[in-house]
Amino acid sequence: MKSSNRDEIMDDLDRRLLAELRVNARASVPKLAQLLGVAAGTVKTRMDRLIDQGVIAGFTVRLRDDAADGTIRGVMMIELSGKNVKTLVASLRKNLGFAALHTTNGEWDLIAEIQVPALSDFHQVVTTVRAMEGIAKTESYLFLGPA
């Protein structure tokens, strides 16, 4: 059950714990305790609190860039226009090619992470979004590989 007080401030230990979990979400509590130089009970308590607060939303598998099994990845920056922005954003969230959709500041209103099985699917996502009512401008980039 999520805590009602989501405003609790994370300290340095919380941030270091999250950093270790980003490197290896499968790390055991004793291993995390060893890496952080604290007791296993402290790690367990911190993890439980971060989960309860919704800071940790889940654990996942991260593939090596060269093991992505041919998945086409990229981003699309989107500028919105018009009065029905909430409806448009709700519609964009349903786009099956989007792995995530983020609001942002600056020139672009949204940044969409695209993840599809083929280049033709990437093209279809871009074409569909550009044709939507309320899309003023887009800019898309394919990820070619790790830097």
Side-chain angles (χ1 to χ4, degrees):
M1 183 156 148
K2 293 201 193 260
S3 169
S4 60
N5 185 1
R6 302 181 105 221
D7 296 329
E8 288 187 37
I9 298 174
M10 290 193 305
D11 63 12
D12 183 58
L13 180 57
D14 291 332
R15 286 187 282 279
R16 291 185 340 183
L17 173 59
L18 292 173
E20 291 297 339
L21 288 170
R22 281 186 190 103
V23 172
N24 183 3
R26 292 183 59 215
S28 67
V29 169
K31 179 64 176 174
L32 290 166
Q34 177 188 11
L35 291 168
L36 297 170
V38 298
T42 301
V43 170
K44 176 75 171 119
T45 300
R46 296 288 181 122
M47 285 181 67
D48 289 345
R49 181 177 49 79
L50 292 169
I51 291 167
D52 287 345
Q53 291 176 342
V55 173
I56 296 176
F59 299 87
T60 187
V61 173
R62 190 182 73 215
L63 299 176
R64 284 188 337 253
D65 289 331
D66 64 343
D69 66 10
T71 300
I72 305 297
R73 297 178 48 230
V75 293
M76 173 186 268
M77 276 68 87
I78 303 169
E79 181 182 319
L80 306 175
S81 66
K83 297 179 181 178
N84 295 322
V85 171
K86 285 185 179 182
T87 303
L88 179 58
V89 171
S91 180
L92 286 168
R93 287 194 187 286
K94 295 177 186 174
N95 189 317
L96 296 179
F98 288 171
L101 185 63
H102 307 277
T103 58
T104 185
N105 63 341
E107 181 179 347
W108 302 102
D109 298 308
L110 303 169
I111 297 178
E113 295 178 48
I114 301 173
Q115 190 168 342
V116 291
L119 191 55
S120 59
D121 297 314
F122 191 94
H123 175 71
Q124 182 63 45
V125 168
V126 170
T127 303
T128 300
V129 171
R130 286 181 176 164
M132 294 175 75
E133 180 84 24
I135 301 294
K137 181 170 75 170
T138 69
E139 190 170 331
S140 303
Y141 296 90
L142 283 168
F143 295 157
L144 301 176

